Amino acid sequence: MSIVKEFREFAVKGNMIDLAVGVIIGGAFGKIVDSLVKDIIMPLITMITGGGVDFTQKFIVLGDNPNQLESLDQLTKAGINVLTYGNFLTILLNFVILAWVVFLMVKAINRMRQKQEAAPAPAATPEDIELLREIRDELKKR
């Protein structure tokens, strides 16, 4: 079997196509969730907390600061070693919020799926019980 033929067989397998579709849909869904967090949830949290959820400007200067620079941008441009823990905290907080939103969305989707599933059919009555009921009904008629 030629390598081209093997590659074609590999590339058009159902699993590979399903995986490609999943990656594309996942990327689009990721953008939707990211927008939901960034454009809707974070502004609400910022409003509730009074604007104190952006920690990107929190840092610690490691080493000498001869010119007494105070902004992170100036320190970075001057080549001074800076520990920017605030950026990490902001990204961590965004991740936790994003994970919570995804969890709630999956929970809602699962709840909708459970409602759509048909209620299980009642168990069939055993034959002997059915026969006894018929006998009872006949006796009542007499």
Side-chain angles (χ1 to χ4, degrees), residues 40-54:
I40 295 173
I41 294 174
M42 286 307 288
L44 292 174
I45 290 174
T46 302
M47 183 183 73
I48 291 168
T49 61
V53 293
D54 185 19

Side-chain angles (χ1 to χ4, degrees), residues 36-110:
L36 175 68
V37 170
K38 186 172 74 175
D39 300 332
I40 295 173
I41 294 174
M42 286 307 288
L44 292 174
I45 290 174
T46 302
M47 183 183 73
I48 291 168
T49 61
V53 293
D54 185 19
F55 303 115
T56 54
Q57 294 301 313
K58 303 291 183 187
F59 59 88
I60 297 173
V61 178
L62 301 174
D64 295 330
N65 186 1
N67 299 333
Q68 301 303 317
L69 303 174
E70 293 185 13
S71 78
L72 179 60
D73 196 34
Q74 291 173 341
L75 289 164
T76 306
K77 285 181 183 174
I80 296 173
N81 196 11
V82 180
L83 178 71
T84 54
Y85 68 92
N87 192 38
F88 174 75
L89 289 176
T90 301
I91 291 171
L92 182 65
L93 181 63
N94 286 345
F95 170 77
V96 169
I97 293 169
L98 180 82
W100 180 252
V101 169
V102 169
F103 168 74
L104 292 178
M105 291 173 80
V106 168
K107 189 172 179 167
I109 289 169
N110 287 341

